[in-house]
Amino acid sequence: MAVRTQGTPCWVDAQLPDLEAGKRFYGELFGWSFDPDRDEALLRGRRVAGLLPKRDGRMPTTWTVYLATDDAGTVAARVKGAGGRMVMDPYPVGPFGVLALAADPGGAVFGLRQSGDDDGFELTNEPGAFCWMEVYTREPEAVDTFYASVFGWLGRQVDPAAEGRGSDFDYRVWSPPGSRPGDDTAFGGRAVISDDFPAEMPGHILVYFAVRDCDEACATAVRLGGRVATDPFDTPHGRIAVLHDNQGARFAVLAEPREPGEPAEATETGRASAGPAEATERDRGPDGRADADRGPGGRAGPRDTDRRPGERAERRETDRGPGERPEPPHPTAEL
């Protein structure tokens, strides 16, 4: 069993109204196959994510990231003491260990996973696998303090100039406790939901998957019935887009920059790629206009005509069969 760094991403899953349609979508988009006995996606036979049937149609459809812990009960107490709340208290799930759902002070929901025989990711940081998590919030100071207190995360404030952004750009990169904060150890970031966003947008966490070609991934997603929320755009860390799958679950894709002829790097259960600048959603409203033309970080960015060349504008336990993974309540259902 792999040793997980406490508080770092160890699993992601999505609950889908039509599980078979979801398998077809992600199978073609990321090259996933699926364990016939469990609700898990595989890449070359290794675990990369969970796809679960959603049995309550009133719940929204979303991706959830789980953070590793040796003691979910202790972390749940820390969550409450640090200004967060438990959406679902820790509960045992057989070989999957102990799971829980929590919300930070800004309302972003994440999972806790206390390892069992099945220990989460077997592959990360290669095309078709998880590579980054990003917390969006309107309460950056409270949220930064929360994650530092609960998990010991070490933060580094991003230099706006290094990202080609204005002085008001507010983005924080997180590394695990005991590490030297920086790109080499980072696994996620924190972005601010600014006034450019719709007022009703809640705090949330965006899950990133690595891809070889961001534009090709967008075209494939659309062909399979998904849609592009944020068109591909370039950052110092690679080319990013935000997508919705064919059932509405939102996620991001990242193609890291490579020199010509350089092969994509594969990392087994390793750290996430360091620090992609935040991708934000530009869904159009009833009037057909975008909420805002935003670049990385959620701040107002250039309109299409001002962009650089090549840059483009976003059941219960007794009801389960053998080996079937339990479905927690949707993380935003109680928000």
Side-chain angles (χ1 to χ4, degrees):
M1 183 176 0
V3 177
R4 301 288 177 188
T5 300
Q6 297 296 291
T8 58
C10 64
W11 192 243
V12 292
D13 65 25
Q15 300 182 38
L16 304 175
D18 187 335
L19 183 58
E20 293 306 313
K23 289 180 178 179
R24 290 191 295 270
F25 178 90
Y26 289 104
E28 184 163 350
L29 180 63
F30 292 142
W32 290 353
S33 59
F34 300 91
D35 188 320
D37 299 318
R38 295 149 61 117
D39 298 322
E40 293 180 340
L42 309 174
L43 188 62
R44 301 197 315 278
R46 296 179 179 269
R47 293 189 301 270
V48 290
L51 291 185
L52 310 171
K54 185 171 69 173
R55 294 173 177 83
D56 187 342
R58 297 169 297 179
M59 296 179 181
T61 302
T62 191
W63 279 96
T64 301
V65 63
Y66 292 80
L67 306 177
T69 177
D70 286 337
D71 190 332
T74 297
V75 174
R78 289 179 189 161
V79 166
K80 297 172 185 176
R85 68 180 182 88
M86 295 306 298
V87 176
M88 185 170 188
D89 287 324
Y91 62 102
V93 285
F96 302 102
V98 176
L99 300 182
L101 289 173
D104 69 24
V109 174
F110 58 91
L112 302 174
R113 180 164 174 152
Q114 179 179 322
S115 61
D117 298 334
D118 176 343
D119 198 27
F121 292 132
E122 290 182 315
L123 284 179
T124 58
N125 286 354
E126 69 168 86
F130 170 87
C131 66
W132 191 254
M133 62 170 284
E134 204 159 64
V135 178
Y136 286 68
T137 186
R138 287 187 169 84
E139 303 179 36
E141 293 184 4
V143 163
D144 291 348
T145 300
F146 171 83
Y147 287 107
S149 174
V150 175
F151 297 109
W153 289 1
L154 304 175
R156 178 181 64 84
Q157 203 69 17
V158 168
D159 179 5
E163 299 291 329
R165 307 305 304 271
S167 60
D168 61 346
F169 177 68
D170 184 354
Y171 191 88
R172 194 165 183 82
V173 173
W174 280 315
S175 296
S179 67
R180 181 185 295 274
D183 286 353
D184 290 342
T185 58
F187 59 82
R190 186 269 295 147
V192 175
I193 302 176
S194 71
D195 292 339
D196 294 324
F197 288 82
E200 64 273 13
M201 178 177 282
H204 60 282
I205 295 177
L206 182 63
V207 170
Y208 281 71
F209 295 99
V211 293
R212 288 189 174 84
D213 187 308
C214 184
D215 296 75
E216 182 177 328
C218 290
T220 300
V222 171
R223 176 173 58 79
L224 294 172
R227 66 183 179 88
V228 178
T230 301
D231 288 334
F233 62 95
D234 295 311
T235 79
H237 312 283
R239 193 159 172 82
I240 294 171
V242 181
L243 307 174
H244 289 268
D245 69 16
N246 57 346
Q247 298 174 68
R250 183 172 179 261
F251 62 98
V253 291
L254 166 66
E256 293 190 350
R258 298 195 303 272
E259 297 297 328
E262 178 186 356
E265 180 179 357
T267 303
E268 296 189 8
T269 62
R271 68 172 182 83
S273 71
E278 164 206 9
T280 61
E281 187 167 356
R282 297 175 59 249
D283 288 337
R284 300 192 176 270
D287 59 359
R289 297 180 298 171
D291 294 325
D293 290 299
R294 306 184 188 93
R299 303 295 183 183
R303 294 185 179 274
D304 290 350
T305 54
D306 298 329
R307 295 181 187 274
R308 297 187 300 274
E311 183 179 4
R312 296 190 297 172
E314 157 178 16
R315 189 170 68 162
R316 299 184 321 192
E317 290 290 331
T318 54
D319 296 330
R320 296 186 188 96
E324 182 180 358
R325 187 172 178 180
E327 178 185 354
H330 190 279
T332 59
E334 299 183 24
L335 298 181

